[in-house]
Amino acid sequence: MGFTFFRIWRFFGVVLLHGLCTSADQAPNFTFVKHATTAPSISYYDYIIVGGGTAGCPLAATLSQNATVLLLERGGSPYGNPNITDLANFGAPLADPSPTSPSQRFISEDGVINARARVLGGGSCLNAGFYSRASPQYVRDVGWDGLRVNQSYRWVERRVAFEPIMRQWQSAVRDGLLEAGVAPNNGFTYDHISGTKVGGTIFDHRGHRHTAADLLEYANPSRLDVLLYAPVHKILFRIQGKERPMAHGVVFKDASGTTHRAYLNRGTKNEIIISAGSLGSPQLLMMSGVGPKAQLKLHNITVVLNQPMVGQLMSDNPMNALFIPSPVPVEVSLIQVVGITHSGSYIEAASGANFGRDTTQRDYGMFSPKIGQLATVPPKERTPEAIAKAVKVMESLADEAFRGGFILEKIMGPISTGHLRLTTKNPNDNPSVRFNYFKEPQDLHRCVQGISTIEKIIDSRPFSRFKYDYMSVPTLLNMTAHSPINLRPRHLNTSRSLEQYCKDTVMTIWHYHGGCQVGAVVDSDYRVLGVDALRVIDGSTFNASPGTNPQATVMMLGRYMGIKILSERLAIETPTS
């Protein structure tokens, strides 16, 4: 297997330098990226990939080296949009609820505000940019080939990963972590190592974001078509004369509402691959008739395969944070430092709440201070109109009111799981999802341990210049607890009970996963159980979120599986001598 992989890697290595001279602030010349309105009514490909996100882009780029590929993305292009490409504008897409936003807001049944991407490049266009590999133990547990994994990571990193520039706030958090006992100091590394480290970032030194869409520069442009604004409504199956249903095409619509069909070319190795994310992938399977029978019948969907585990075992890593007002200016920074604790929580930080310095927009979701202003609005009265009015008040505040940053903790795992349900048969509508945050006591215990570590950082000597002496940790806990960071009920004096603080102030850090898990919905090669010519390759297959941030591993997975699929296609045999 190792020899086979190296031959394939060398075979495709000629594309590694293709396009790497593109400037970060200049859109690459992707002649193969077009609007779906230009597509023919019927087309044929060796591979059809649904979802041009964090996994779909590297997967398409790799498969295009030896096969014809259609990549269907329901959103638009990230290029030319400074709200995506510029670090200084981070948060603006998350605060934009319009139909054209690259971020589609949803609220889980738990009352936590969340977002899913609808843009080429997926979540890598919206996130805080932290880049960190999965641990070797995670790789072994999943059953991946360690050598292939590392080479796939390096393929990604050549294009999108950078060492961050460390400034005062992030340095203070790092040194505070070490004083709090989160040791050793591992310096800068992409690797997942217990202790304190500086991780990678997909923002370069000029503050420009690099995304999974940039990995399309590795593609063979003559074999790849990427269609934007092309939501897939259904996967088509051949059933008659087959022992098992066989996927053979998809139905998608363009921005004008015109219906198109794309089919697989003849060939036993040709496949449809879903890479639509942890909400989109189980949603599309159910819309196509693969899912829990009762739920499909509720929406008058013809049952192709009764698969009760589709949409089950949904998890989101709970995130809790403290906002710390600073008496001195702080740099604008996103996640750079992480403390990987032995108790099962990860400690990270972001600073400079006023990311949009040249605008009055200060509604930045998770990273918005909103302290005091929106907290005066009772939860049941937090209508869009009420929030808009409160944000208007915020716009008149002096910059000093927004000076400071967050220290946050995210628990590993988690153990608690929930489920996803269809709401409509429209792929542009959000399904309903419940994550059951802290249902399992171990998750809650890890949160408490994480908040306790944050308390030690705030009270540490290295961090002392970034906090007001008169603001004790209990004061900061109560101040954050009274801000409208979610739609869950509030309790008074949560600082007296860190368990209650965790429950009341839980937020997302956008690391939700599950819904199409390995062993439940797909096999170890990501083939959908019970049907042929269909795989799911994205974070919906994860049993646990890898490391401190999954994006590196999701991009790696797209490359890793692309090479593996091509090795099967090319049938390169390992020599016997």
Side-chain angles (χ1 to χ4, degrees):
M1 293 293 291
F3 183 84
T4 299
F5 179 72
F6 276 120
R7 286 188 63 186
I8 297 170
W9 195 273
R10 186 165 60 248
F11 181 77
F12 297 119
V14 294
V15 302
L16 292 180
L17 297 179
H18 174 72
L20 294 190
C21 295
T22 302
S23 170
D25 54 1
Q26 176 185 354
N29 183 25
F30 289 156
T31 57
F32 49 81
V33 177
K34 301 174 182 177
H35 284 212
T37 51
T38 66
S41 58
I42 297 177
S43 55
Y44 295 86
Y45 295 86
D46 298 331
Y47 295 98
I48 300 171
I49 301 173
V50 181
T54 317
C57 286
L59 178 62
T62 301
L63 292 179
S64 72
Q65 298 307 309
N66 197 255
T68 58
V69 181
L70 174 64
L71 179 61
L72 297 167
E73 167 54 45
R74 72 190 185 107
S77 170
Y79 301 108
N81 184 347
N83 287 340
I84 292 175
T85 56
D86 294 351
L87 183 148
N89 295 330
F90 171 78
L94 296 169
D96 178 9
S98 71
T100 59
S101 172
S103 171
Q104 183 173 0
R105 185 175 297 174
F106 72 95
I107 300 173
S108 72
E109 295 176 12
D110 314 271
V112 172
I113 302 167
N114 213 317
R116 59 189 294 215
R118 54 181 171 201
V119 61
L120 188 67
S124 66
C125 298
L126 305 174
N127 63 25
F130 195 65
Y131 184 97
S132 180
R133 297 180 176 187
S135 68
Q137 186 60 52
Y138 186 97
V139 172
R140 287 191 292 269
D141 290 345
V142 174
W144 292 328
D145 181 285
L147 178 61
R148 298 184 185 191
V149 164
N150 288 337
Q151 292 183 319
S152 296
Y153 274 126
R154 287 196 288 271
W155 181 87
V156 171
E157 288 155 10
R158 288 187 185 98
R159 188 66 188 91
V160 304
F162 306 88
E163 180 177 355
I165 298 174
M166 289 286 291
R167 295 192 170 91
Q168 293 180 337
W169 168 277
Q170 292 286 338
S171 296
V173 172
R174 176 198 60 201
D175 296 343
L177 275 163
L178 293 169
E179 186 175 300
V182 185
N185 182 357
N186 295 308
F188 167 70
T189 179
Y190 293 142
D191 294 334
H192 185 97
I193 311 171
S194 293
T196 295
K197 73 165 190 173
V198 176
T201 177
I202 62 173
F203 289 97
D204 64 25
H205 291 172
R206 293 183 294 169
H208 293 294
R209 181 192 295 269
H210 295 252
T211 76
D214 292 11
L215 299 174
L216 292 173
E217 295 194 16
Y218 290 137
N220 181 340
S222 66
R223 292 177 176 264
L224 175 63
D225 288 327
V226 179
L227 297 181
L228 304 177
Y229 304 109
V232 174
H233 287 247
K234 189 177 183 180
I235 298 167
L236 301 173
F237 293 93
R238 285 197 180 102
I239 299 175
Q240 292 184 344
K242 300 289 183 182
E243 292 184 6
R244 293 156 35 115
M246 174 178 283
H248 73 107
V250 300
V251 177
F252 64 96
K253 292 187 177 182
D254 62 29
S256 69
T258 301
T259 298
H260 303 256
R261 291 173 182 254
Y263 295 101
L264 294 177
N265 286 323
R266 292 186 180 276
T268 59
K269 298 298 184 181
N270 298 338
E271 294 178 318
I272 294 170
I273 303 172
I274 307 175
S275 298
S278 292
L279 266 64
S281 290
Q283 178 186 27
L284 180 56
L285 281 177
M286 286 190 275
M287 287 168 49
S288 305
V290 178
K293 181 178 180 179
Q295 193 174 156
L296 302 185
K297 286 187 172 296
L298 186 65
H299 292 276
N300 296 317
I301 297 172
T302 301
V303 178
V304 173
L305 178 69
N306 179 23
Q307 208 332 342
M309 294 307 295
V310 173
Q312 299 300 309
L313 302 175
M314 297 289 298
S315 295
D316 187 23
N317 294 78
M319 191 275 290
N320 295 79
L322 273 76
F323 176 69
I324 303 115
S326 173
V328 297
V330 298
E331 74 266 17
V332 175
S333 71
L334 297 178
I335 311 301
Q336 296 180 351
V337 172
V338 61
I340 301 174
T341 71
H342 291 291
S343 62
S345 62
Y346 306 134
I347 313 300
E348 303 172 356
S351 61
N354 183 21
F355 294 113
R357 290 182 175 179
D358 297 328
T359 70
T360 57
Q361 174 65 13
R362 288 165 170 167
D363 180 19
Y364 291 118
M366 182 183 79
F367 292 102
S368 172
K370 292 183 181 177
I371 306 301
Q373 284 70 44
L374 288 182
T376 62
V377 182
K380 291 184 179 180
E381 297 177 19
R382 289 174 192 157
T383 63
E385 293 77 16
I387 291 176
K389 182 178 179 180
V391 170
K392 190 69 175 177
V393 173
M394 294 168 64
E395 293 175 358
S396 63
L397 296 176
D399 285 347
E400 286 74 13
F402 295 86
R403 198 164 61 193
F406 292 83
I407 303 180
L408 58 93
E409 70 84 30
K410 160 196 152 180
I411 70 165
M412 67 179 295
I415 300 171
S416 305
T417 64
H419 59 268
L420 176 147
R421 296 181 295 107
L422 280 184
T423 54
T424 72
K425 291 190 287 185
N426 186 341
N428 293 314
D429 293 339
N430 288 320
S432 181
V433 61
R434 173 180 289 276
F435 295 114
N436 287 324
Y437 298 103
F438 303 125
K439 181 180 180 181
E440 299 295 333
Q442 186 175 346
D443 290 341
L444 187 60
H445 175 71
R446 287 172 169 173
C447 177
V448 170
Q449 294 293 102
I451 297 297
S452 297
T453 302
I454 292 175
E455 291 179 339
K456 294 176 183 177
I457 297 169
I458 294 172
D459 286 336
S460 70
R461 181 188 54 78
F463 197 75
S464 59
R465 68 185 296 257
F466 292 112
K467 64 175 290 253
Y468 289 96
D469 291 337
Y470 64 86
M471 283 191 169
S472 65
V473 170
T475 299
L476 295 173
L477 286 167
N478 279 321
M479 185 172 68
T480 304
H482 284 84
S483 64
I485 50 185
N486 60 38
L487 303 182
R488 293 163 70 89
R490 291 291 187 276
H491 298 80
L492 297 175
N493 295 319
T494 54
S495 62
R496 297 178 184 175
S497 168
L498 291 184
E499 287 86 355
Q500 195 61 59
Y501 181 86
C502 287
K503 293 177 181 178
D504 284 6
T505 66
V506 64
M507 292 176 279
T508 185
I509 197 166
W510 313 299
H511 297 172
Y512 49 88
H513 52 281
C516 298
Q517 284 190 339
V518 170
V521 177
V522 300
D523 66 15
S524 59
D525 285 323
Y526 304 95
R527 296 184 178 95
V528 176
L529 298 169
V531 301
D532 291 328
L534 182 64
R535 300 196 205 214
V536 178
I537 299 176
D538 59 23
S540 71
T541 65
F542 291 164
N543 294 297
S545 184
T548 51
N549 188 300
Q551 74 166 338
T553 302
V554 177
M555 285 189 274
M556 179 281 295
L557 179 63
R559 172 63 173 177
Y560 178 95
M561 285 306 301
I563 288 289
K564 188 168 187 179
I565 291 169
L566 283 183
S567 73
E568 297 168 0
R569 184 178 191 86
L570 297 173
I572 302 175
E573 298 294 337
T574 303
T576 57
S577 61

